């Protein structure tokens, strides 16, 4: 009887000790997880350059028909700005020196990732293995943590508000696309009857002139 009681006590003690670990593994997202070096998605281009300094170079390209300018900075940082709006829409980090919240850095284990940011199944994106998290405050914003296909260790960070797949790009509404393009949806929807022309001068009645009707000067 004493043996059974002893085994029961050991079992409950081990279970109690294991509870904090299980709770830690669940993790959860925080607002700072959607910033890199103080820059968040939607910040102005000027703020980005003030925080990151002079880029090594920049290039422009189309991403899902969105005109983007990508700045490349030293030590593995690349930031994309929507050309039409001048706002940050994509941040990629491949730096071995960068450290995120809770000490998560290059080489962190899959367990460390899930314990910090929450449980997620691995997924494939553009041929790479990664964990994809949505910002609870804005579902368009994604935190994408790329991991090594062999051991699952962390190799890259990406914050983006761009579509991730062709299906997502096709599903964009005009209002969502306007986040990257200078498109005044309200103005586009106005019909001719909604345009105020009261300040314009009255148009003169058109006059028709025929060559045969001209009189020669005396």
């Amino acid at each position: 009887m004493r043996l059974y009681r002893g085994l029961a006590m050991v079992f409950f003690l081990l279970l109690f000790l294991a509870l904090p670990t299980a709770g830690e593994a669940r993790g959860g997202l925080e607002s700072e997880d959607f910033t890199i070096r103080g820059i968040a998605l939607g910040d102005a281009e000027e703020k980005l350059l003030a925080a990151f300094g002079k880029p090594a170079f920049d290039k422009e390209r189309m991403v899902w028909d969105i005109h983007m300018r990508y700045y490349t900075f030293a030590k593995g940082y690349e930031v994309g700005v929507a050309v039409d709006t001048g706002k940050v829409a994509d941040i990629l980090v491949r730096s071995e020196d960068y450290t995120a919240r809770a000490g998560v850095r290059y080489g962190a284990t899959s367990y460390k990732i899930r314990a910090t940011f929450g449980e997620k199944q691995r997924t494939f994106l553009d041929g790479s293995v990664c964990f994809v998290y949505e910002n609870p405050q804005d579902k368009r914003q994604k935190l994408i943590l790329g991991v090594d296909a062999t051991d699952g260790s962390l190799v890259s960070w990406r914050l983006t508000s761009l579509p991730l797949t062709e299906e997502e790009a096709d599903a964009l509404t005009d209002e969502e696309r306007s986040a990257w393009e200078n498109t005044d949806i309200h103005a586009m929807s106005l019909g001719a009857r909604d345009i105020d022309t009261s300040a314009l001068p009255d148009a003169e009645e058109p006059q028709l002139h025929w060559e045969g009707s001209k009189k020669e000067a005396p």
Side-chain angles (χ1 to χ4, degrees), residues 32-38 75-77 93-108 112 116-117 143 145 154-157 159:
E32 65 181 284
D33 298 330
F34 290 86
T35 63
I36 300 289
R37 292 172 62 174
K75 297 185 178 181
Y77 294 86
V93 181
R94 294 192 181 92
S95 173
E96 296 187 14
D97 298 327
Y98 177 71
T99 301
R101 179 172 60 86
V104 176
R105 55 177 299 162
Y106 185 93
K112 178 67 173 178
T116 304
F117 304 109
L143 166 64
L145 302 177
L154 183 61
V155 295
S156 68
W157 291 257
L159 293 180

Side-chain angles (χ1 to χ4, degrees), residues 5-215:
R5 288 181 179 176
L7 291 174
M9 291 180 63
V10 171
F11 171 79
F12 286 112
L13 178 61
L14 292 174
L15 180 62
F16 177 80
L17 293 175
L19 285 175
T21 303
E24 181 185 5
R26 286 191 292 272
L29 295 170
E30 297 184 8
S31 58
E32 65 181 284
D33 298 330
F34 290 86
T35 63
I36 300 289
R37 292 172 62 174
I39 297 300
L41 297 171
D43 281 347
E45 186 173 14
E46 293 79 6
K47 182 178 179 180
L48 160 70
L49 296 175
F52 278 68
K54 185 178 180 180
F57 61 90
D58 65 86
K59 56 185 176 182
E60 295 185 15
R61 65 176 184 263
M62 302 299 290
V63 181
W64 305 118
D65 294 329
I66 300 166
H67 190 186
M68 297 289 296
R69 178 185 298 112
Y70 280 87
Y71 291 102
T72 298
F73 299 92
K75 297 185 178 181
Y77 294 86
E78 187 175 7
V79 183
V81 174
V83 173
D84 288 350
T85 62
K87 294 182 178 180
V88 174
D90 205 12
I91 307 175
L92 180 63
V93 181
R94 294 192 181 92
S95 173
E96 296 187 14
D97 298 327
Y98 177 71
T99 301
R101 179 172 60 86
V104 176
R105 55 177 299 162
Y106 185 93
T109 65
S110 293
Y111 175 80
K112 178 67 173 178
I113 293 172
R114 293 194 301 269
T116 304
F117 304 109
E119 290 289 345
K120 278 287 181 180
Q121 294 294 323
R122 296 184 192 180
T123 186
F124 288 94
L125 185 64
D126 295 332
S128 301
V129 183
C130 56
F131 295 101
V132 180
Y133 296 89
E134 289 185 344
N135 186 346
Q137 306 302 319
D138 187 343
K139 297 297 184 181
R140 293 172 298 180
Q141 297 185 2
K142 306 287 196 306
L143 166 64
I144 304 170
L145 302 177
V147 297
D148 185 272
T150 303
D151 61 14
S153 61
L154 183 61
V155 295
S156 68
W157 291 257
R158 183 186 178 193
L159 293 180
T160 189
S161 55
L162 297 175
L164 299 182
T165 64
E166 184 175 359
E167 290 75 15
E168 287 187 11
D170 290 342
L172 286 175
T173 65
D174 289 340
E175 185 175 1
E176 290 170 335
R177 186 169 287 276
S178 70
W180 308 285
E181 299 173 352
N182 270 331
T183 304
D184 189 336
I185 299 173
H186 178 66
M188 289 177 62
S189 66
L190 288 175
R193 61 182 176 80
D194 298 314
I195 299 175
D196 184 5
T197 60
S198 60
L200 298 177
D202 294 334
E204 296 182 359
E205 184 177 349
Q207 302 292 325
L208 297 179
H209 298 280
W210 301 94
E211 292 296 328
S213 66
K214 290 183 179 178
K215 296 181 180 180

